[in-house]
Amino acid sequence: MKLRLRLALTAVAVTVPAVFALVQVEHSVRRRTTDEVIIASTLSQMQSGGRERCEAAPETWMVRARSPQRPPWEREGLPGGNGGPPAGTVAPNAPSGSNGPASGGPRPGDEGPPRLRPRGPMGRRLPPVSLYPFDGQLVSRNPQAPALDDELRKGVRDDGVGVRRYSKADGALVQDLLLRMPWDGGPCEYVLARRVEPAESPEVGLPPLYVWGVPTLILLSAMVVALGPVVQRLRRLTDEVRASSGSRYAQPVTVNGSDEIAELARAFQQARAEIQARMAHQQAREQTLRDFLANTTHDVMTPLTVLQGHLAAMQQRMRAGEPLEAGLMLSAMSEAHYMASLVHNLGAAARLEAGAPQVQHAPVDLKALVSRVLGRHQPIARPQRIALESGVPATPTWVMGDETLLEQAVSNVVLNGIRYGREDGHVAVVLETTRQQTFHLRVIDDGPGISEEERSRILERRFRGNEARTREPQGQGLGLHIVHNVVELHGWKMALAPSEYGGLEVAFTGPLMSPPE
């Protein structure tokens, strides 16, 4: 469903109850005003001679007839009618010289109750109002008087006025007002005023068109005028969102104002920024994967070619029945270890470049980690007659980190000490803790070391020192670069310094954690 149609239906749904409420209010005001007019007219009628005539003949007061020749001012209920002619006028059938109204009981031939014709709200002439007298016991001596129900009795006892409205079978509305007169006693202590509205009266049906039609038209016009700019802004926002989607969310959406539509545009801007971040992250991961494949292909080919050459030479010697050279076997094993280390380093580099979400933090025991690293590198160090030594605490040393990356970082430093160390050399791993709940992990070797100038660049990716390029020309310079990234990712500190034994000392410092339960 289109927004314009939905808003139009909403306007109708709002307007119909509003018109209904307006009609009800108009009916209520009209009825209350009519009641006040009838009450005032009845009291005026009774206080202007009606009481005397009623008390003189309560049984027949309701059947007073109107003679066609009677002047209008003698008809009870007309505006200004007080039962007599204007000053200076002699009523018909009155005694000669009389200037007042005719006195006495009802005239022969009179019939029908006295009728009031007051004017109602907005000058509308009300239907005739019939009056019926009742005494203090709410009993009428006139047999034509209608019966009083409990609602009228209770209302007049409590408030001085009882009101009842009901509809007849033909649709006419009957209105009864039971009034207490401003005197006590007598057969006319209470008067019932009855008014009957015909079915076609505005009191029964809808009020005049100007009462509800004009406000309804104004309300609908105001809603149409107010909804026009809203629909235009929504269409403009829709076009901008589609244009942004077509540009892979590079084109922003205009945000104007502080209303709900502006909030919607602002929410789309936030979603657009999040989508762009996710797309950038995905592109970075794809680029990392491409780089990983390219690096793996390039970096593995060189040691693989060397290993193939060593294996081919060993095969030729075996076919010729010649003994295998220990140096050739050692070189082949070294190339195999190097390729394994290279693959591990490339995998670690891919994880690091993909970002922190790939890092899994968990409690890690550095003492056990050092033991595993040294045990794994013993087969590599033994043929080169390099001794691997360690100094660790007697109890576990717990830190929070990614165990795989931390083990790879320590392995890289130890492997560098083995690969670039001298024969009969040493590589030592020393783990210490402090009272400040920190640890110091140092990897010390007595190899050739690196110069101070090279130490400032040795952590860069693909950078290799002169000694490394001389002794291991196939290396790719990933080891210490990965170590540096792992340390930064964990919030630790790393320092490179010459060792007291002539080689290199790599130190790690970081916070300890409480032992896991």
Side-chain angles (χ1 to χ4, degrees):
M1 184 183 295
K2 292 290 187 179
L3 178 62
R4 187 181 294 274
L5 178 59
R6 186 182 294 112
L7 293 176
L9 294 178
T10 303
V12 173
V14 172
T15 303
V16 170
V19 171
F20 179 77
L22 186 63
V23 169
Q24 294 300 317
V25 170
E26 196 274 340
H27 272 291
S28 176
V29 172
R30 184 192 302 170
R31 289 177 178 179
R32 185 168 60 251
T33 306
T34 301
D35 292 347
E36 294 174 355
V37 171
I38 293 176
I39 292 173
S41 299
T42 301
L43 290 175
S44 175
Q45 168 70 20
M46 296 303 294
Q47 291 175 344
S48 302
R51 175 186 179 185
E52 290 77 6
R53 288 188 293 275
C54 176
E55 291 180 349
E59 298 84 359
T60 58
W61 180 64
M62 297 303 300
V63 293
R64 179 186 295 270
R66 296 185 181 89
S67 172
Q69 293 79 20
R70 180 176 297 177
W73 57 79
E74 288 191 6
R75 299 178 186 175
E76 295 180 22
L78 288 177
N82 55 6
T89 304
V90 179
N93 302 324
S96 177
S98 173
N99 293 331
S103 61
R107 300 178 182 179
D110 286 355
E111 59 183 7
R115 296 182 178 271
L116 301 174
R117 282 189 178 269
R119 292 187 179 271
M122 296 173 287
R124 184 176 65 87
R125 183 177 294 277
L126 298 176
V129 178
S130 302
L131 304 180
Y132 301 91
F134 289 84
D135 59 16
Q137 301 300 321
L138 297 179
V139 176
S140 179
R141 300 182 187 180
N142 190 326
Q144 297 184 10
L148 303 180
D149 61 1
D150 294 337
E151 182 181 358
L152 287 172
R153 294 173 182 271
K154 184 177 185 303
V156 77
R157 298 292 189 192
D158 296 342
D159 304 325
V161 178
V163 181
R164 180 184 64 167
R165 291 182 177 86
Y166 63 93
S167 298
K168 298 173 66 176
D170 59 357
L173 176 66
V174 179
Q175 177 183 7
D176 288 341
L177 294 176
L178 182 60
L179 311 177
R180 180 182 178 86
M181 296 295 102
W183 56 78
D184 295 329
C188 303
E189 184 175 351
Y190 295 91
V191 174
L192 176 68
R194 167 166 288 189
R195 180 174 68 95
V196 180
E197 285 277 1
E200 64 274 8
S201 171
E203 182 77 13
V204 179
L206 286 175
L209 181 62
Y210 65 85
V211 174
W212 61 272
V214 174
T216 301
L217 181 61
I218 294 175
L219 179 60
L220 290 176
S221 301
M223 295 191 70
V224 170
V225 172
L227 292 178
V230 174
V231 174
Q232 292 179 359
R233 291 181 61 191
L234 289 175
R235 287 181 175 176
R236 190 182 307 115
L237 178 60
T238 302
D239 295 339
E240 291 184 356
V241 169
R242 289 175 177 170
S244 179
S245 176
S247 64
R248 296 181 62 85
Y249 300 99
Q251 179 177 337
V253 173
T254 305
V255 180
N256 292 324
S258 58
D259 56 3
E260 287 76 5
I261 298 179
E263 288 294 327
L264 179 62
R266 193 172 292 107
F268 178 81
Q269 280 289 80
Q270 295 174 354
R272 168 180 164 271
E274 183 176 352
I275 292 174
Q276 284 185 318
R278 290 180 179 272
M279 291 175 61
H281 180 68
Q282 183 66 26
Q283 291 174 355
R285 294 188 63 180
E286 293 176 356
Q287 185 62 40
T288 299
L289 179 60
R290 288 192 292 268
D291 293 343
F292 174 75
L293 293 176
N295 292 336
T296 302
T297 302
H298 178 270
D299 293 347
V300 172
M301 284 304 299
T302 300
L304 183 59
T305 302
V306 175
L307 178 60
Q308 287 175 341
H310 291 328
L311 293 177
M314 293 169 61
Q315 185 180 25
Q316 290 177 358
R317 286 181 174 275
M318 291 178 63
R319 287 178 178 177
E322 298 177 0
L324 297 179
E325 295 182 0
L328 189 61
M329 181 66 70
L330 179 61
S331 179
M333 291 180 59
S334 177
E335 294 299 331
H337 285 299
Y338 172 72
M339 282 193 296
S341 174
L342 180 61
V343 171
H344 284 300
N345 280 335
L346 288 173
R351 288 186 60 192
L352 291 171
E353 292 180 4
Q358 299 293 327
V359 179
Q360 305 294 328
H361 288 277
V364 179
D365 181 11
L366 289 182
K367 175 186 175 183
L369 185 146
V370 170
S371 177
R372 288 195 303 271
V373 170
L374 294 182
R376 185 180 302 116
H377 288 81
Q378 284 290 352
I380 305 174
R382 190 178 299 112
Q384 297 182 224
R385 294 188 298 180
I386 294 179
L388 298 182
E389 301 173 354
S390 65
V392 296
T395 58
T397 303
W398 294 98
V399 297
M400 181 65 69
D402 188 307
E403 187 169 11
T404 302
L405 292 179
L406 292 177
E407 191 164 333
Q408 184 66 36
V410 177
S411 295
N412 285 351
V413 179
V414 173
L415 182 60
N416 280 349
I418 296 173
R419 292 178 62 190
Y420 305 124
R422 56 181 176 82
E423 290 187 359
D424 299 323
H426 301 80
V427 176
V429 181
V430 180
L431 176 61
E432 300 171 320
T433 59
T434 67
R435 294 181 179 179
Q436 289 75 28
Q437 293 299 306
T438 59
F439 72 89
H440 295 293
L441 177 63
R442 295 181 296 158
V443 180
I444 307 170
D445 65 66
D446 54 2
I450 57 177
S451 65
E452 182 177 356
E453 179 183 356
E454 291 179 343
R455 282 200 301 270
S456 61
R457 299 188 57 197
I458 198 67
L459 301 180
E460 298 177 9
R461 183 172 183 174
R462 302 293 182 182
F463 180 82
R464 306 182 69 230
N466 293 328
E467 185 68 23
R469 287 194 297 270
T470 302
R471 303 189 61 176
E472 297 286 345
Q474 74 273 24
Q476 297 300 319
L478 284 175
L480 289 181
H481 172 73
I482 291 175
V483 174
H484 181 253
N485 284 349
V486 170
V487 170
E488 284 191 339
L489 190 62
H490 287 76
W492 296 356
K493 295 181 180 179
M494 176 180 176
L496 302 179
S499 72
E500 56 183 313
Y501 306 103
L504 180 67
E505 177 179 321
V506 181
F508 306 96
T509 303
L512 295 172
M513 65 167 289
S514 301
E517 297 180 358

